[in-house]
Amino acid sequence: MKIRLVNEGVFIPVEDIKVALKPPEQGFYWIDADIDDLIVLQPLFSMHDLAVEDCMSEEEQRPKIEIYEGHYFIVLNSIRFDDEEIFLRSLNIFLGKHFIITVTKQKINELRMVKPVLWEQEVSAADRMLYLLIDMVVDNYFTVADRIEAKIDNLEEELIVSAKKTHLNEIISLRSEILWLKKGLAPQKEVLLVLYRKELRLIDDDLQKYFRDIYENAVKVSETFETFRDLMGNLRESYQLSIANRANDIMRVFTAITTIFMPLTLITGIYGMNFDYIPFMDWDFGSFYMIGFMFVLGAFMFYLFRKKDWI
């Protein structure tokens, strides 16, 4: 657990947690904690039992905002795209008038990224940090959306060149992830709508208006994922069409080969009959003449099919 007094973007380490119970003369306290620290924090900051239970739950939490006396409890989903795999990680926030407590199970990039922004903007209020933190969480969805779009473009190019069975697995997997993200983003928009529209005494009225911009960005991300879902449907149709065309091409080649060998098979069938007299059978090099004739006939038919673009 790290305790910092943040004043005009400057971080001052605090050793004793009890110091953070009283409002500082200037600035606010930021307590960055993990799940185990809640045992100490809950009685000191009068955290509601249900909020603590949500933080400690092993199940994936739905984004939400709960308003309690003295503090707000906010759950957001931070997004991360590593090694072609998408993760959602819960960011639990307790917002008070003079403090903000972030509780996480895994490392979340936004908590690291917000530090230089606090210093650059000389932040001295907990609600201001909340705004910047949520803004970064939503902005990261745009970053992931760009990577998903690039992946869809690459898949589309590969399908045009040559469709493979592995492509279908990628399409199904990516489509499932997009639907999963879209489903997780919907309740997050509801949280942002509350922060934007509802009268919240722990958030400054002037600052609250800025949450509208974050909400609109969340709507844009949601619409982007909806577009991705349609694109994945188009990719699947393209894959099926490519496979069907490929099968048609293969059948066309096989049909052409069969057609070429049909007259050759006829000739060999005739000369395989047990008649007393068959033309050219008594020639000294008759077999070579016939094989040469069959070769020329096959080559001519192959040339004719290629000229007509049948194979």
Side-chain angles (χ1 to χ4, degrees), residues 42-213:
Q42 181 180 10
L44 293 175
F45 291 90
S46 301
M47 295 177 175
H48 199 280
D49 292 339
L50 293 176
V52 173
E53 183 180 342
D54 287 341
C55 292
M56 302 182 70
S57 176
E58 295 295 332
E59 298 180 358
E60 184 177 322
Q61 292 299 308
R62 188 176 187 271
K64 61 181 179 180
I65 177 170
E66 300 288 349
I67 300 175
Y68 300 112
E69 185 178 354
H71 68 273
Y72 302 154
F73 175 59
I74 303 169
V75 180
L76 298 173
N77 281 331
S78 169
I79 192 171
R80 189 168 180 175
F81 198 168
D82 290 338
D83 299 327
E84 303 301 320
E85 189 171 358
I86 300 174
F87 300 93
L88 286 181
R89 295 179 173 176
S90 293
L91 172 58
N92 305 294
I93 304 171
F94 292 88
L95 176 70
K97 194 63 179 177
H98 70 280
F99 67 85
I100 183 170
I101 302 174
T102 54
V103 183
T104 58
K105 294 179 181 178
Q106 303 98 357
K107 291 183 179 179
I108 292 182
N109 289 337
E110 287 84 353
L111 293 177
R112 174 180 53 83
M113 295 163 56
V114 78
K115 295 177 183 177
V117 179
L118 294 175
W119 178 81
E120 181 182 348
Q121 299 191 15
E122 299 181 351
V123 175
S124 298
D127 56 351
R128 180 70 179 177
M129 176 181 169
L130 175 71
Y131 162 76
L132 294 172
L133 189 56
I134 295 178
D135 188 38
M136 287 185 173
V137 169
V138 175
D139 282 347
N140 273 343
Y141 277 84
F142 282 106
T143 304
V144 172
D146 290 340
R147 294 185 63 180
I148 292 176
E149 185 177 9
K151 192 171 183 179
I152 292 175
D153 290 340
N154 291 335
L155 268 174
E156 187 175 11
E157 292 176 1
E158 291 174 5
L159 286 175
I160 293 174
V161 175
S162 176
K164 301 178 182 178
K165 290 183 178 180
T166 54
H167 290 147
L168 180 59
N169 295 331
E170 290 183 40
I171 291 171
I172 294 174
S173 176
L174 188 57
R175 185 175 184 274
S176 298
E177 289 182 339
I178 290 171
L179 291 175
W180 175 56
L181 288 174
K182 188 175 181 300
K183 183 179 179 181
L185 187 60
Q188 199 141 292
K189 289 192 300 180
E190 297 175 7
V191 174
L192 296 173
L193 192 60
V194 172
L195 291 171
Y196 156 50
R197 288 186 174 177
K198 190 170 183 177
E199 293 184 5
L200 302 171
R201 61 183 181 82
L202 295 181
I203 298 178
D204 187 82
D205 292 339
D206 293 333
L207 179 63
Q208 194 170 2
K209 299 175 183 177
Y210 287 91
F211 281 100
R212 176 180 180 178
D213 182 61

Side-chain angles (χ1 to χ4, degrees), residues 249 252-253 256 301 304-311:
D249 290 340
R252 184 170 58 180
V253 171
M301 293 183 68
L304 183 63
F305 290 169
R306 290 285 291 178
K307 185 177 182 180
K308 292 183 177 294
D309 199 25
W310 290 351
I311 56 174

